[in-house]
Every structure is written in C-alpha cells, then in structure tokens.
Amino acid sequence: MKKIFVVLLILSIALFVFSGCSGVVPGEGEGEGEGEGEGEGEVKQVVLVETFVADGCGNCALLKPRLEDLADEYDRNEMILVELIPWATYSLSLAYERFDWYSPDNKNIPQTYFNGSNKTVGSSASYATLKSRIDAQLTLTPKVSIQASAQHKWPDFNNYRLN
C-alpha cells in the first residue's frame, strides 16, 4: 500500500512539473491581466441622461423635443438618453425605485439627471442649458470603463415557414 502511494505521489509531482506550472507570477511580465487593456485606446466619457416623465404631462412635452434634438446631435458614444415613465401601465417597479432613489422627497416631473448626479434640470431648461450640462460631463475623466459585445447568433427566420 505504501509503494502504491509513493508511486502515485511521484507520478503526480512529475505531472505537475512537466505540464502545469510555468513559473509565471501574476503581476509580472509585460502584459496586463486577462481581459484588461485588450484593444483599449483612450476611454471616453459617455453621458447618461435619464429623464423621468409621465404620459399627458404638459411640462414633459416641452422638455422631450429638446432632449431628443440633443440625442440626435451627439453620438451614442457620447450621450445615451433614457426616458423613464415610472407610473405608466406597463412600467416596471424598477423605474419608480430609480426615481425614488434620485429624489425621495421631490416627486415633481419632469426631472432630468446627468450621469447619476442628483442635480436635476426642470422642464424650463433651455436647449443651451441642457447642452452645457452634457458638455460639462463630457469633459470629466471617466471612472469606469465598460465594454460589451454581442456574441449571440440570431436564427435565420427566412428559413421558417408558417403553416
């Protein structure tokens, strides 16, 4: 029994020596960790503009066209406009929770927030005011870098027939 144990021990040590351990210590070497720095250039700031509105709100109707014009002016790599309607029939409870997180005491609408800041602008904010808020956010250094890619292959629906 001891001989079998010793033989297995020697075989496992030999296996680790020849196949497993390359002697690389994390943090040493020229490259960065896996997934870090691959294909990265300069990380640009993207402004997330969240606006909370309601159906049938007159003030919201005044603000929406200005925000939509700004969304057309900026590239998606510069500005992302998200319109949330926390009280609509098909709204998720998460929309209201987000609205409540931003302003637990102020339930007036519309409210627009830039990159999670709790400083809101009202419906009377001019195009120039909104643009200056976005431009100010674009000048900041980003604190987070997120990348995503779609790897899913959608089925070819042309090959399906409805009977």
Side-chain angles (χ1 to χ4, degrees), residues 7-63:
V7 170
L8 287 176
L9 182 63
I10 292 172
L11 286 175
S12 63
I13 291 173
L15 180 67
F16 284 118
V17 168
F18 292 113
S19 65
C21 185
S22 65
V24 176
V25 177
E28 291 184 0
E30 295 179 21
E32 295 184 26
E34 184 178 331
E36 296 176 16
E38 296 174 5
E40 283 185 20
E42 179 183 338
V43 177
K44 292 185 174 184
Q45 178 77 331
V46 178
V47 181
L48 174 64
V49 179
E50 294 173 279
T51 185
F52 293 90
V53 294
D55 291 331
C57 167
N59 289 333
C60 301
L62 295 172
L63 181 63

Side-chain angles (χ1 to χ4, degrees), residues 4-159:
I4 294 174
F5 178 72
V6 171
V7 170
L8 287 176
L9 182 63
I10 292 172
L11 286 175
S12 63
I13 291 173
L15 180 67
F16 284 118
V17 168
F18 292 113
S19 65
C21 185
S22 65
V24 176
V25 177
E28 291 184 0
E30 295 179 21
E32 295 184 26
E34 184 178 331
E36 296 176 16
E38 296 174 5
E40 283 185 20
E42 179 183 338
V43 177
K44 292 185 174 184
Q45 178 77 331
V46 178
V47 181
L48 174 64
V49 179
E50 294 173 279
T51 185
F52 293 90
V53 294
D55 291 331
C57 167
N59 289 333
C60 301
L62 295 172
L63 181 63
K64 280 175 153 184
R66 290 181 225 135
L67 290 171
E68 289 169 0
D69 288 345
L70 285 165
D72 290 338
E73 182 177 331
Y74 290 96
D75 187 68
R76 284 190 311 192
N77 295 328
E78 295 175 310
M79 175 189 155
I80 298 170
L81 175 61
V82 178
E83 181 180 294
L84 297 160
I85 306 173
W87 307 277
T89 305
Y90 299 106
S91 292
L92 298 173
S93 61
L94 295 174
Y96 184 78
E97 289 172 17
R98 183 99 175 138
F99 179 67
D100 194 42
W101 176 79
Y102 270 120
S103 58
D105 300 327
N106 181 8
K107 300 299 181 208
N108 296 324
I109 54 165
Q111 291 188 37
T112 304
Y113 300 94
F114 302 87
N115 276 351
S117 170
N118 64 354
K119 296 177 185 173
T120 185
V121 296
S123 61
S124 62
S126 68
Y127 182 87
T129 301
L130 295 167
K131 184 172 175 47
S132 68
R133 288 276 183 104
I134 294 168
D135 289 340
Q137 288 292 317
L138 284 172
T139 62
L140 299 175
T141 303
K143 296 180 180 173
V144 176
S145 173
I146 299 173
Q147 291 182 329
S149 63
Q151 298 295 324
H152 181 74
K153 181 169 173 31
W154 292 100
D156 184 8
F157 291 109
N158 296 323
N159 294 330

